[in-house]
Amino acid sequence: MDAPDLPAGIMPDYRREIPAELLARQGSWVWHELVQPGVIRHLAADGSELLTVRILLPPNGLLSASTLRDLARWVREYALTGRRTSRQGFEFVGVRPAKLEKFLAELQAAGFPAGGTGNSLHQVKCCTSFIHCQNAAVDAPSIAQAITDYFYQDFLQQELPAPLKISIGGCPNQCGGGVEADIGILGLYDAVPEVDEARFLAANIDIGLLVSWCPTGAIRPRQTEKGTLVTIDVDRCVRCTSCVQVAPEGISLKKKSYVAIAAGGHGGNSCKGPEMAAIVFPRVPARPLDYSAIIDRIEVIINYWRRAGKPGERLAGFIERTGWSDFLATIGAGPLEELVDKRVPQTSIRRDLHFRY
C-alpha cells in the first residue's frame, strides 16, 4: 500500500505494526462470525478469511516482561500480529488455521484461555487502583480477579442471553468505566474531605487551581479575617479526592471505603445508544480477599437475566423490558440511585460517560 506517512510528532504510524499480508486486505472485510468461544473468523470480499483468537489477561492487563515475551513468541509462531483490546484482553490476529488447535492447547496450558467473545462474560475491565494510583478507594484488580475466578465458566462458554461486560472503577473518577458497563463496581469513600483551616492557610494554596480542579463544583472559596479558606459542599462532593491531590497540606480524607454496584450501563451505539448505569446496591463491603458480598449480589443480577433474558438482549434492554421496579424487587435491591445530579442543568452537562458533572 503506497500511502504517505502520518504526520510526525503525533504518534507512530500504526501501519508499521501490521504485516503486509494483513495490510493488503485492509478495508475489504465484509463479515465476521464466531467459530467457538474465543475464536472469530473474519471474511473478506474476495472470499479469503482470517482467524482471531482472544485470550484472558490478568486484571488491568498488567503484564510482566516474561509474559510480554510469551505473547510476542506466540504472535511470531501462530499469528500475523497482536493487539490489546479495549477491555484489557489480548487478541492474536491472523492465526493460521492449521495451527489453531495446537495454539489453543498451548494457551490453555500456559494459563491464558481463549474466550470472552459473543454471549459470554468478556474480560472484566478495571483501573489500576493501588498499584500506581493515589486516588483509589478499593483495590479494583483484586476484585476483578475474584469476579473472574467465580464466573470463569461464563468466560469460556457463550450461553448467556447476550454479551456481559463488568467494569470496576477503584474511585469515583471511574477510569475503570464502571458507569458504562452492564454491571459496574464503583469504589467510594465513606467520608467527605475535611479542611484543616490552620494548615490550609499556612500552606498558601492556589485557591483558583483548587476550585477549578473539583469536577462537581463542590468547592467554594470564602473570606475570613485570617485569609481565604474553602468550603466543601457535602451534597455535591463525590469524594473523588481531586482536592486532596491539589492541597494535601490542608485537605485530608479518611480512607474508609466501600463499593456501590450499578447495573444497566451500555457504552456502545446500538439500540438506544450509550446509557449510564444506575446504582442498585449502594453500600457493599469491599474487604480485601473476601469479596463475597460483591460476588453474591452480582450473581443475583446475572442469574435473573440468565433465566428471563431474551436471546440477544443486553442487561440494559432486559431491565427496560421488565421495568426497574420488578428488576429491583427480584434482585432484592432498594430504591434506585441515579449517578447524575440533575438539580443544576448548566453544571450537569455530560460530554462523555465519565463520573463527573
Side-chain angles (χ1 to χ4, degrees):
M1 171 186 282
D2 294 326
D5 287 345
L6 295 174
I10 298 178
M11 64 184 301
D13 190 335
Y14 73 94
R15 292 168 296 189
R16 296 171 184 165
E17 308 297 321
I18 304 175
E21 180 182 345
L22 190 56
L23 272 178
R25 288 183 277 178
Q26 186 178 21
S28 68
W29 305 104
V30 295
W31 188 248
H32 73 271
E33 58 189 13
L34 301 176
V35 179
Q36 64 188 73
V39 180
I40 307 168
R41 177 186 289 116
H42 305 268
L43 305 175
D46 61 2
S48 60
E49 62 181 48
L50 175 146
L51 294 179
T52 292
V53 173
R54 183 182 298 172
I55 64 169
L56 180 69
L57 285 187
N60 192 236
L62 292 164
L63 302 172
S64 66
S66 175
T67 298
L68 286 169
R69 283 192 289 269
D70 285 337
L71 294 175
R73 176 175 58 82
W74 287 326
V75 169
R76 285 194 301 269
E77 185 173 349
Y78 294 104
L80 295 176
T81 189
R83 74 179 195 96
R84 271 279 301 273
T85 71
S86 61
R87 294 201 60 78
Q88 303 169 346
F90 193 86
E91 289 184 347
F92 297 92
V93 181
V95 173
R96 298 162 181 82
K99 294 185 175 182
L100 177 62
E101 293 307 318
K102 178 185 176 184
F103 184 34
L104 293 177
E106 187 171 334
L107 288 171
Q108 182 70 33
F112 295 96
T117 54
N119 297 346
S120 69
L121 170 64
H122 290 219
Q123 171 102 23
V124 177
K125 180 182 174 183
C126 69
C127 68
T128 187
S129 285
F130 298 120
I131 295 169
H132 58 73
C133 179
Q134 70 279 6
N135 293 335
V138 298
D139 186 29
S142 68
I143 296 175
Q145 181 75 56
I147 292 172
T148 303
D149 288 349
Y150 190 84
F151 296 103
Y152 181 66
Q153 291 303 315
D154 286 318
F155 175 82
L156 301 176
Q157 303 168 358
Q158 297 176 154
E159 298 179 357
L160 294 171
L164 174 62
K165 297 180 180 180
I166 300 176
S167 298
I168 307 167
C171 78
N173 291 303
Q174 285 306 298
C175 300
V179 296
E180 62 190 45
D182 297 294
I183 299 175
I185 314 298
L186 321 175
L188 301 171
Y189 285 107
D190 192 48
V192 170
E194 298 177 353
V195 179
D196 185 316
E197 296 187 358
R199 294 182 60 193
F200 188 94
L201 291 170
N204 193 28
I205 290 164
D206 186 334
I207 302 297
L209 176 63
L210 176 60
V211 170
S212 67
W213 206 254
C214 178
T216 66
I219 297 178
R220 291 289 181 265
R222 61 184 177 90
Q223 297 296 326
T224 69
E225 293 181 356
K226 297 180 180 181
T228 304
L229 291 168
V230 294
T231 298
I232 299 176
D233 186 338
V234 175
D235 292 330
R236 295 200 65 81
C237 177
V238 293
R239 302 155 176 82
C240 68
T241 76
S242 294
C243 59
V244 180
Q245 312 312 319
V246 176
E249 305 90 347
I251 302 178
S252 61
L253 178 67
K254 295 178 180 178
K255 296 291 187 176
K256 184 178 180 181
S257 61
Y258 59 95
V259 302
I261 299 177
H266 186 237
N269 206 36
S270 59
C271 301
K272 292 171 57 180
E275 294 183 74
M276 292 282 291
I279 293 177
V280 293
F281 296 110
R283 296 182 67 89
V284 182
R287 302 183 182 93
L289 304 183
D290 179 15
Y291 297 122
S292 57
I294 298 173
I295 290 173
D296 288 347
R297 287 163 175 80
I298 292 176
E299 186 173 30
V300 169
I301 295 172
I302 294 175
N303 285 346
Y304 180 32
W305 173 59
R306 190 197 308 267
R307 184 173 66 251
K310 294 181 178 180
E313 187 174 50
R314 292 288 292 269
L315 185 59
F318 171 68
I319 294 172
E320 182 178 0
R321 177 172 61 83
T322 59
W324 275 107
S325 296
D326 288 344
F327 177 75
L328 294 172
T330 302
I331 66 172
L336 197 64
E337 292 201 13
E338 294 288 346
L339 288 176
V340 182
D341 183 354
K342 299 184 176 66
R343 293 172 299 171
V344 189
Q346 63 267 29
T347 60
S348 296
I349 297 175
R350 286 181 175 271
R351 293 175 176 84
D352 54 39
L353 287 173
H354 286 87
F355 189 40
R356 59 171 176 263
Y357 294 95

